[in-house]
Structure formats: structure tokens, C-alpha cells
Amino acid sequence: MRAVILIPARYASTRLPGKPLADIGGRPMIAHVLEAALRSGVGPVLVATDDARIEAVVREAGGKAVMTSADHASGSDRIWEALRKAEIGGGLFDVIVNLQGDLPAIDPAQIAAVTAPLEEDGPDMATLVYATDDPV
């Protein structure tokens, strides 16, 4: 199975503009998410962004980013554009993992685990989610 991780990260968040660049422990949030994705060992990782500042942070953190339109209605639309534009891994993947860019504490093992059900015939895209009782 050939998998790729795409991380949508837009600057113009409605509730918290610039959220991917929010400082967490001295590093931008997107750098934490990128590191977890790379450590998961799932496959190539690409950040899909609409902002040059986010792109620069990703590259400085050792990642790859592709610029996408700021007009997308969803992160899924953004990753579809990025996947079409990017030249990674020959471009042929069995599984696309849509990893949200605002999960700085995600365990790389969780990212790897999400691909297991996709090894069988079924969906070719996964979005990581987790349940929480925290109302905030």
C-alpha cells in the first residue's frame, strides 16, 4: 500500500487567524504537526497551504509545502489541489491521509494506525479524529 499524508493549513482561520503559526513551546503549531507526520513513517508528507508564511515555516522545519488557492471551501478541496500539483512519490497513491493542521499533540502511532483499515478494499482517504469529553 502506498500512502501519502497531506496536511491542509490555511492562514485565514475564521476563529483564529494565523492558527498554523501559533507558538506552541517555541515552535509554530504546523511544525509540530509536520514532525509527527514525518515520524509516523506512513509515507511522503505534504502541507497544503494558501500562505507564504506557512510555506516558509514548513520548509524551515524540513518539510514540503505546496501553495493552493485561498478560495477552497474545505481542507479536502485544498488537499486535492495540492495532490494534483505536487510531485511526490510518483503521484500514485492507494491511500490519502488528511491530517488536520491543528493537532500539535498527535501521536505519530495514531497517524500510522489510521492506515491499517485502508489496506483492505475500501476508502482511499482517511481523516484522523478522536473523541474527547473536554467541552472547550
Side-chain angles (χ1 to χ4, degrees):
M1 175 189 77
R2 294 194 62 214
V4 61
I5 299 172
L6 284 115
I7 306 169
R10 71 185 184 111
Y11 188 84
S13 170
T14 305
R15 294 179 302 271
L16 181 59
K19 179 167 56 171
L21 301 178
D23 186 283
I24 298 175
R27 295 176 53 216
M29 180 184 305
I30 192 65
H32 291 277
V33 179
L34 173 67
E35 179 183 343
L38 291 168
R39 287 181 45 221
S40 75
V42 167
V45 177
L46 183 67
V47 174
T49 188
D50 62 351
D51 191 88
R53 292 165 287 194
I54 296 170
E55 178 186 35
V57 165
V58 168
R59 293 190 191 287
E60 184 177 309
K64 290 186 73 170
V66 64
M67 293 298 293
T68 60
S69 170
D71 297 328
H72 289 301
S74 72
S76 295
D77 295 327
R78 185 171 313 288
I79 67 169
W80 177 244
E81 179 188 350
L83 189 59
R84 290 187 327 208
K85 282 183 168 181
E87 296 180 13
I88 53 173
L92 300 173
F93 298 99
D94 303 307
V95 172
I96 300 167
V97 176
N98 176 349
L99 176 59
Q100 298 305 295
D102 59 358
L103 296 172
I106 188 93
D107 183 334
Q110 292 173 311
I111 301 168
V114 77
T115 63
L118 303 174
E119 292 179 11
E120 303 168 13
D121 288 337
D124 58 2
M125 182 174 172
T127 300
L128 294 172
V129 297
Y130 63 92
T132 181
D133 293 329
D134 186 351
V136 178

